[in-house]
Amino acid sequence: MSLQKRVMYSALGIPILALAVAGCGSSATPTASSSPKHVTITFEGSLVRGPYSTYMQTLVKKFEKQNPHITVTLIGQPNWMVLHAALITAVTGGSPPTIGQVENSWVPRYAQSNALVPLNSFIKGPSGLSATQIRAFWPQIWNQQRFSGKVYTMPFATSDTILYYNASWLMKDHLPVPTTLQQLTNDMKAATSTSHNTWGISMDPGTSSAAANGTYWFISLLHAYGGHLIQGNKIVWDSSAGVHALQYIQNLYRAGALKLGNNYPGQAALMSDHALFDISSDTSYPYFMHARTSSFNLEAIPLPPGPAGQGDVSTGFNLAIFSAASAAQQQAAWQFLKFINTPANQAYWSENTAYLPTTSTSMSDISPSVRKQPWLTAGTESLPYARKLPAKAGLSQIVGNLSAAIDHALITNENAGTALQTSAQAAQQLLAP
Amino acid sequence: MVTILSRYMERRARINESIPRFHGIRNNRYALVYLLPMAAVFLVFTIIPTLFVGVISLFHWNVLSPALSQFVGLKNYQDLLQSPVFWHSLLISLLFVLGTVPTTVFIAVAIAVLLMDNLPLRGLVRTGVFSPYITPVVATSIIWIWMLNPQFGLINSLLHAAHLPAVQWLESPHWALLGVILFTLWHNMGFDVIIFMAGLTSLSSELGEAAKVDGASSAQRFVYVTWPLLSPTTFFVTIITTIGSLQAFTQFFTMTQGGPLGATTTASYLVYEMGFLFFHEGFASAIAVVMFLIIALLTIVQWKMSERRVHYQ
């Protein structure tokens, strides 16, 4: 998931008013043209504008050339938070886009309101997906598309969490590339110096309303220690695995090897030679390259394994078709979803955005020079054990409690077990039965 | 500005009184016709949605399927009053108002008085003071995030140069609100300075000159003559700054997102968080209604207090 948070809201009242006005709106009018053969579909997302817009527009033009009876209109939103609010408002107002870029945790709410079209009939239909095509998807990615036994989304843009490091610094100080958590600790502590104003890593756990990279690292560590976030309908991050994971972060913080910040502190500290490591998404790579001022060698590897093996979190977006669309629009949208996931198109999208390709077969279409880049090697290597956050309604608020627990453990020096227990109890109340 | 406006209104009232009644009716009819388009826009985009927020606050609102919303009466308000998060957000809002309003008023008056003198490069200084106000809050608040960065930010570098300890600023629950207050003061001060300068320009110089003849010092003239005469302007600035502070959102959204540990979760931010991140629309609407009532009440209190303001004219 792209975690760009540079956004704006002009006034507090406007969203409320917009929502209210949208609630009073009339029902949707499909945007089909006068010719019955020609179909116009809309695609609303945050990855269709900003730095990604050029690549999506190229793909759209290619699609329209292959399907001259279909026109795709892109509707861009500045970031995922605005997109979420915009889609909800559009559904409420009865005018959702044909295709929406959605996060996994948004699906339950939409699906329960019948706002999305289950894709099972399209997948099995005459223009569906063959068994070979389905097998081509990375299993971790394909399995994320289901909710309540139905497939509601198709893969689009997936990323996971990887460990970036300053390879030049490691070499200069004769430090090993960390392959265990203990080595990672040792490296971070070795890099920490008050006189040089250097340390191991900077991170941002986020806030109670929006978890950030620091929280995703904790969840990866939780998995590496053998723990889970939620099991069935119970919050279980306060297990002994969770306590070990939080204590790991807490010990680094107490040693001065880990510092807190906001607005991508990990990237800023790594790129300014203050920190040795950063843990963030593979999609950070282009930003690193864009911001790089010094000549150090930037490398990336999968997160070091813990006692229970490797842990990681996959984030990103999928594509869904909204049920307000006409049958012709739904069919056209399905063609587009299939088109986006063809190996050549995924390779193009991945090469230019640093999102991981959704299918293993795309790898051969990626140019050899990009195939060697650390974000792609580390990202795809991490995919087999990268777990998606569970598709639960209200997940952002639930995980927000975890961010608060990390803050409590680090900033107020609260006992790791107590912080996790308190947050788990608060989150449990939010979990719908 | 307010003085000029009140004089103008008084003059208009006298003129209106002198106009024969049938002319007044006809003028009013024309005025109503002219006002109708704007009134319609105001009704559709402000009044109706505001009332609708009140309606939503009485429901357990289902945003995707409003028909499935459940009427819960005053339960959202009951939950609100029992919610420590809400009371905490009100406290943060209050602290933010206390941190911005009195400081803004006093510093803005001081700067305005200084800028009324014939300083060298006065125009440039005036432009410099006002320019932060016309910069976008989002862009400048991101710059301030970097300035307040605890490890390599400008502010901590200055503290270090002055042999003062580094402050964690936006990463610390104790300092984060102060960081946002500093940004807000920097950003909004220019507007209040301009208002005070307009107030100072409209003042008659006679009383000041009389006090000078009587031997009053510059400080005495300001305290006993200028400042009391500025009371309508001060009242105006206090009201708009208070309302603006209670509604402040963008800098909190950009700089801290309510964190760390809720240290900057104001009531305004809580409305956004509950309504648009957690989708508890009924609860969020109840907060919005309570905030509306608080702001209305404060404004009435300030109006009442302003009736006791000092006038020498």
Side-chain angles (χ1 to χ4, degrees), chain B residues 134-240:
Chain B
I134 55 169
T135 57
V137 177
V138 170
T140 46
S141 58
I142 287 173
I143 292 168
W144 271 73
I145 289 174
W146 291 108
M147 285 169 58
L148 293 169
N149 184 296
Q151 281 89 43
F152 33 79
L154 175 68
I155 309 283
N156 268 8
S157 298
L158 294 173
L159 290 177
H160 182 72
H163 302 289
L164 291 168
V167 174
Q168 288 300 303
W169 293 115
L170 304 180
E171 274 61 73
S172 159
H174 306 299
W175 291 94
L177 187 62
L178 182 62
V180 182
I181 287 173
L182 286 176
F183 164 77
T184 308
L185 291 175
W186 170 83
H187 188 270
N188 295 352
M189 188 69 71
F191 177 74
D192 297 332
V193 170
I194 292 292
I195 299 293
F196 275 117
M197 284 174 69
L200 287 167
T201 309
S202 68
L203 295 185
S204 163
S205 59
E206 290 165 7
L207 288 172
E209 283 165 5
K212 195 175 180 181
V213 170
D214 288 343
S217 65
S218 299
Q220 284 172 323
R221 287 204 303 277
F222 176 76
V223 172
Y224 296 111
V225 180
T226 311
W227 180 249
L229 288 174
L230 272 179
S231 59
T233 312
T234 310
F235 162 68
F236 173 73
V237 169
T238 306
I239 282 195
I240 58 161

Side-chain angles (χ1 to χ4, degrees), chain A residues 14-32:
Chain A
I14 288 173
I16 286 271
L17 305 188
L19 181 67
V21 170
C24 300
S26 60
S27 59
T29 307
T31 52

Side-chain angles (χ1 to χ4, degrees), chain A residues 81-95:
Chain A
M81 284 196 277
V82 178
L83 171 69
H84 195 188
L87 287 178
I88 292 258
T89 307
V91 171
T92 309
S95 304

Side-chain angles (χ1 to χ4, degrees), chain A residues 7 16 92 199 209 262 397, chain B residues 53 63 138 151 253 255 273 280:
Chain A
V7 297
I16 286 271
T92 309
W199 56 94
S209 54
N262 62 10
Q397 192 175 5
Chain B
V53 167
V63 68
V138 170
Q151 281 89 43
F253 179 81
M255 294 176 82
E273 189 176 76
H280 304 313

Side-chain angles (χ1 to χ4, degrees), chain A residues 63-122:
Chain A
F63 175 75
E64 288 175 342
K65 201 172 176 184
Q66 288 177 14
N67 302 273
H69 66 293
I70 302 173
T71 300
V72 181
T73 305
L74 298 175
I75 306 169
Q77 297 295 348
N79 63 36
W80 67 268
M81 284 196 277
V82 178
L83 171 69
H84 195 188
L87 287 178
I88 292 258
T89 307
V91 171
T92 309
S95 304
T98 320
I99 301 169
Q101 171 195 318
V102 296
E103 213 182 62
N104 221 23
S105 62
W106 306 352
V107 172
R109 185 184 281 261
Y110 290 131
Q112 284 156 4
S113 303
N114 296 320
L116 299 182
V117 179
L119 302 178
N120 302 56
S121 57
F122 288 107

Side-chain angles (χ1 to χ4, degrees), chain A residues 265-341:
Chain A
Q267 294 176 18
L270 176 64
M271 297 316 289
S272 59
D273 289 333
H274 283 283
L276 178 57
F277 296 103
D278 178 40
I279 290 176
S280 57
S281 152
D282 42 70
T283 55
S284 302
Y285 190 77
Y287 294 95
F288 277 126
M289 290 298 103
H290 185 70
R292 192 156 74 161
T293 52
S294 59
S295 58
F296 72 78
N297 184 18
L298 178 72
E299 291 291 345
I301 51 169
L303 298 177
Q310 296 202 268
D312 206 322
V313 176
S314 80
T315 50
F317 295 97
N318 302 314
L319 297 180
I321 301 175
F322 283 92
S323 51
S326 67
Q329 285 176 314
Q330 290 181 15
Q331 191 58 46
W334 169 248
Q335 293 303 326
F336 186 75
L337 264 50
K338 269 179 60 183
F339 169 85
I340 283 286
N341 280 292

Side-chain angles (χ1 to χ4, degrees), chain A residues 4-12 15 78-83 85 204 207 209-210 262-263, chain B residues 137-138 141-142 145 170 180 183-184 247-259 264-266 268-273 276-277:
Chain A
Q4 300 303 307
K5 301 186 290 190
R6 293 144 197 163
V7 297
M8 62 191 73
Y9 281 85
S10 58
L12 177 65
N79 63 36
W80 67 268
M81 284 196 277
V82 178
L83 171 69
D204 176 12
T207 65
S209 54
N262 62 10
N263 202 31
Chain B
V137 177
V138 170
S141 58
I142 287 173
I145 289 174
L170 304 180
V180 182
F183 164 77
T184 308
Q247 292 181 330
F249 172 77
T250 313
Q251 58 268 55
F252 290 99
F253 179 81
T254 315
M255 294 176 82
T256 58
Q257 296 195 315
T264 57
T265 302
T266 59
S268 295
Y269 188 82
L270 191 63
V271 172
Y272 163 74
E273 189 176 76
F276 291 93
L277 293 178

